[in-house]
Amino acid sequence: MSDPTIDHSAFALKYGPWAVVLGASEGLGAAFARGLAERGLNLLLLARRADALEAVASPLRARVEVRTAALDLAAPDLAEVLAALTRDLDVGLCVYNAALSQVGPFLGVPLADKLKIVDVNCRGPLIAAHVFGERLVQRGRGGLLLMSSLTAFWGSPLVATYGASKAFNLSLGEALWYELGPRGVDVLVCCAGATRTPGFERSSGPDGPRAMEPDAVVAEALEALGGPPSAVPGGLNKVAAFVLGRLFPRRRAVALMGSQTARLTGRES
C-alpha cells in the first residue's frame, strides 16, 4: 500500500525519470513496477508475455507513463533490442528481475534447459548492466538493481544451475558496486529468500513454507539502493544467511539447502 506521508522526490530525482524492469509480468517484477510507479518513475516493462505485461501496466498508467514490450531475454540480439527500445528514454534505473529455474537433479535436467537458464539468468543481466551501465555513467547518476537469491551463497542441490546463476549475479553486482559507485551509479544485488510469487506457489503449492510478500521484498530492496552492495530482505532470511554462512560448516549448509529444496518440492526419498 502507498504511504502518502512519504516523500519520494529524492528517489525520483536520482533514479528517474524512467526505469526499465526486465521480467515484469508477475510476482516480484510486477511488485517492482508498482513500487517504482509509487515513487514517480515512468516505466518500460519487459517480459515474454504481452498480455501479462499489459495487466501489470494498465492500473499504473493513471499515475505514470508506462510502456511495455514483449521479448525473449535469451535472444541473441538482446543488447541491440534494449538499446532500440530505450533510445528516446532518459533511463535512470534498470531492474533485472527475470529468472528461469528448473527443479530436479542436475543430470536429470536437459542440457538445453540448463543453457537457457544461463542465458536468461547470467547473460541477460550482464547485457543489461553493460547497456544501461554505460548510459548511467554518462549521465552521472542512476542505479542498477540485480535480483539474486539466498541460493547464491552456497551450492544449492536440485536447483544447481539456478543457484550458480544467482551466485554469478551476486559477484557481478558487487563488483559493479565498487566500479560504478564513484561514477554516480548505485548498484545493489537483492538476495531474496522464499517469496510468495506465482512461480513459488506453483512449485510449493498453496500450503508451502512461510514466504515474504513480493511488495515487502521490493520495499526493502528500493530502500537499500544506494547503500551496501548486497542486501537480504526479511528478518528470518537475514538470520538464516548468518547461521548458514557463519555458524555452520559449508558442507552442512549445502546439505541443508538440498534437504529444504527436496522438502519444498516433494522430492524427499
Side-chain angles (χ1 to χ4, degrees):
M1 294 291 291
S2 173
D3 186 343
T5 67
I6 298 177
D7 182 2
H8 293 302
S9 57
F11 187 97
L13 182 63
K14 181 159 193 181
Y15 302 116
W18 282 86
V20 179
V21 182
L22 298 98
S25 57
E26 63 179 24
L28 278 166
F32 270 113
R34 291 190 295 270
L36 293 170
E38 179 182 315
R39 288 160 175 78
L41 273 63
N42 300 317
L43 301 168
L44 172 61
L45 306 180
L46 306 175
R48 287 178 301 163
R49 295 178 292 147
D51 56 342
L53 283 173
E54 186 56 35
V56 173
S58 183
L60 303 179
R61 290 198 170 102
R63 182 175 295 173
V64 296
E65 185 176 349
V66 185
R67 300 183 187 181
T68 65
L71 76 162
D72 181 359
L73 295 175
D77 61 345
L78 179 62
E80 292 79 10
V81 171
L82 291 178
L85 287 171
T86 59
R87 186 167 290 121
D88 65 331
L89 303 181
D90 184 9
V91 175
L93 179 65
C94 171
V95 176
Y96 198 98
N97 171 72
L100 289 180
S101 177
Q102 188 164 338
V103 181
F106 180 80
L107 295 179
V109 177
L111 178 59
D113 292 352
K114 290 192 280 263
L115 293 175
K116 185 69 175 288
I117 291 172
V118 171
D119 280 342
V120 173
N121 297 10
C122 298
R123 180 176 173 273
L126 180 72
I127 289 172
H130 180 83
V131 169
F132 296 110
E134 285 191 327
R135 292 172 59 169
L136 295 171
V137 165
Q138 288 175 0
R139 76 201 291 266
R141 71 184 193 283
L144 293 170
L145 199 160
L146 306 181
M147 284 304 298
S148 184
S149 164
L150 291 181
T151 60
F153 296 116
W154 316 276
S156 297
L158 301 178
V159 286
T161 306
Y162 172 82
S165 73
K166 291 304 181 178
F168 175 88
N169 290 338
L170 177 59
S171 182
L172 174 67
E174 289 189 331
L176 295 180
W177 173 88
Y178 180 87
E179 291 187 24
L180 303 186
R183 306 178 75 178
V185 182
D186 296 330
V187 181
L188 176 72
V189 185
C190 177
C191 300
T195 306
R196 196 158 299 286
T197 64
F200 175 83
E201 293 189 329
R202 284 192 293 269
S203 64
S204 64
D207 299 322
R210 181 183 300 180
M212 288 187 69
E213 294 299 324
D215 290 302
V217 174
V218 166
E220 288 200 36
L222 296 180
E223 181 66 25
L225 188 61
S230 58
V232 175
L236 290 177
N237 292 328
K238 289 180 175 67
V239 171
F242 176 82
V243 170
L244 289 174
R246 301 290 183 87
L247 302 183
F248 282 15
R250 193 163 183 87
R251 64 181 181 180
R252 186 177 177 191
V254 172
L256 182 59
M257 292 292 289
S259 65
Q260 292 284 43
T261 302
R263 185 176 301 113
L264 174 67
T265 58
R267 292 175 179 270
E268 291 178 296
S269 57

